[in-house]
Amino acid sequence: MTEGTTLATPGVPIARQPPTPPPAVTPLATAAIVVTVAAAGLAAVALRSVHEVIGDPPLLVQLLLWVAGIAALLPVVPAVRAAGTVRERARLVSAAEFAPARSVAATGRERASTAMGYALAVLLVAALVLFATANDGAVSRTFLRWEFIQESWRDVTVAFWVNIEVAVGAQLLVLVVGLVVAVMRLLPGPAGRPLRAIAIMYVDGFRAIPSIIVLYMVGFGLSLAQVPVIKDLSPVWLAIVALTLTYGAYVAEVYRAGIEAIHPSQWAAARSLGLSYGMTLRTVIVPQAVRRIVPPLLNDFVGLQKDTALMGVTDAFTQARLVSSNVFNLTPVIVVAVLFVIITIPQARFVDKLLAREQSRRGGRTA
């Protein structure tokens, strides 16, 4: 028997601790009301600022402003309902009805948390609106002029296909280069030591050098040096080569992490069946590793897509800068940003879906 432990005597009832009341809801409900009032006030200031910048808005814009104002008041409902649970909890506690009091208190805390969450979202959106309309709308006039969007979106969109071509070409090459470098770095024994050293130097070197420097050296340096074969490549292919060199190093580390994450028993089982090192890697290890590295691999590809804006050819960003220099406004650059967002967000959601599927699969296997 451990120290501090008592044995129950047969026939003698065990003493029970008296029930305790649930935690108070008042502090959280008060905080929710304060945050909600602050959010509603800041939203009103933001909407007023928008109205002053626009001047005499059309009917549709006025309707949208009214809808936004009503939406900013929505957190008031759960905040008031949370405050209403304070009195109900106190009544139940005074009547010694602790079980219902706990349920009411939990509901009040949930409502207060909901109100605070939505109110904080309103605060953030209102702050962004105030920033966009600051200085009599100088920010919005600099970045969001509708007439300049109409003037530039067609040329910028056509030039954006260059970014897509470079991104797709580099991604295909990166998949091959990254796998080759990862396998080189994992070669066993003394025979693989020189190749391992080369792979390590490549990965360390190109992960340390910024992408824009590699693009400059490949796009201008190699062409200037009149390197055979390279000098005959188009600027698009030079950009593909530069991005492949840079992101091949990142993807090689992703491949290596996925391969090393495979349990050693998989290697042992495959080798015990008589498979060679290469066959084990090709038929057993790499297929399992690829399933694990798809999310981080897609994240690297998103970064690669963004770095296509650094190349010196007439891509979407270059076209946007040309238009911006003509109209003395940065709205065309926003068009480029929107195009990158359009192609990037679906990939991000796809990565989230793959992660959720992998977690679900592992959870089912564990269960």
Side-chain angles (χ1 to χ4, degrees):
M1 181 175 65
T2 59
E3 184 179 355
T5 304
T6 58
L7 294 176
T9 305
V12 178
I14 300 175
R16 298 180 180 274
Q17 293 290 337
T20 56
V25 187
T26 304
L28 192 59
T30 304
I33 291 175
V34 171
V35 175
T36 300
V37 172
L42 190 63
V45 174
L47 292 175
R48 179 182 175 184
S49 179
V50 171
H51 193 278
E52 291 177 352
V53 169
I54 296 177
D56 187 14
L59 180 60
L60 179 60
V61 175
Q62 293 183 18
L63 179 62
L64 291 176
L65 292 177
W66 275 104
V67 171
I70 294 173
L73 296 176
L74 290 179
V76 174
V77 177
V80 172
R81 295 180 67 186
T85 60
V86 173
R87 182 177 300 179
E88 180 66 15
R89 172 198 170 275
R91 183 186 67 80
L92 292 172
V93 168
S94 62
E97 298 180 4
F98 295 118
R102 289 191 182 90
S103 176
V104 170
T107 302
R109 289 191 296 271
E110 182 180 358
R111 290 172 179 173
S113 300
T114 302
M116 292 182 65
Y118 280 94
L120 289 174
V122 171
L123 279 172
L124 291 174
V125 174
L128 290 175
V129 172
L130 284 174
F131 174 77
T133 56
N135 194 18
D136 196 22
V139 175
S140 60
R141 288 197 305 271
T142 302
F143 294 100
L144 298 172
R145 293 284 293 274
W146 177 248
E147 60 270 25
F148 294 148
I149 292 177
Q150 290 179 313
E151 179 181 343
S152 63
W153 74 268
R154 188 182 300 276
D155 293 336
V156 172
T157 303
V158 171
F160 187 68
W161 282 107
V162 178
N163 297 82
I164 295 178
E165 290 176 6
V166 173
V168 173
Q171 287 168 3
L172 294 176
L173 291 177
V174 161
L175 288 173
V176 178
V177 172
L179 181 59
V180 171
V181 174
V183 171
M184 286 174 59
R185 191 164 181 177
L186 294 173
L187 289 175
R193 186 177 295 120
L195 294 178
R196 290 199 302 270
I198 293 174
I200 291 173
M201 287 188 292
Y202 166 75
V203 170
D204 291 346
F206 279 97
R207 285 198 304 173
I209 303 174
S211 301
I212 191 170
I213 295 179
V214 179
L215 282 163
Y216 191 81
M217 289 191 301
V218 173
F220 297 99
L222 295 183
S223 299
L224 187 63
Q226 292 292 300
V227 177
V229 180
I230 298 294
K231 64 182 180 63
D232 298 325
L233 294 178
S234 65
V236 171
W237 272 106
L238 291 174
I240 291 174
V241 171
L243 290 175
T244 300
L245 290 173
T246 298
Y247 279 89
Y250 290 102
V251 172
E253 288 298 280
V254 173
Y255 272 120
R256 184 170 71 93
I259 292 173
E260 291 182 342
I262 304 301
H263 197 273
S265 62
Q266 299 292 315
W267 288 91
R271 298 306 295 271
S272 66
L273 293 175
L275 297 181
S276 64
Y277 178 85
M279 292 183 64
T280 300
L281 198 63
R282 179 172 56 86
T283 61
V284 178
I285 304 301
V286 170
Q288 296 183 63
V290 167
R291 288 199 298 268
R292 300 188 180 192
I293 67 172
V294 168
L297 197 62
L298 290 178
N299 286 331
D300 282 338
F301 283 170
V302 169
L304 187 153
Q305 289 171 357
K306 293 188 295 184
D307 280 351
T308 59
L310 301 175
M311 57 187 180
V313 298
T314 307
D315 64 326
F317 182 55
T318 304
Q319 184 66 37
R321 285 189 301 171
L322 293 174
V323 178
S324 297
S325 62
N326 291 331
V327 300
F328 299 101
N329 191 275
L330 294 180
T331 299
V333 180
I334 297 298
V335 177
V336 182
V338 171
L339 291 174
F340 275 105
V341 168
I342 289 174
I343 68 168
T344 300
I345 287 183
Q347 296 179 66
R349 298 289 74 79
F350 181 61
V351 170
D352 293 340
K353 185 177 180 180
L354 289 177
L355 287 173
R357 182 186 301 175
E358 182 67 17
Q359 292 175 357
S360 176
R361 186 178 65 85
R362 292 183 180 182
R365 178 179 298 177
T366 303

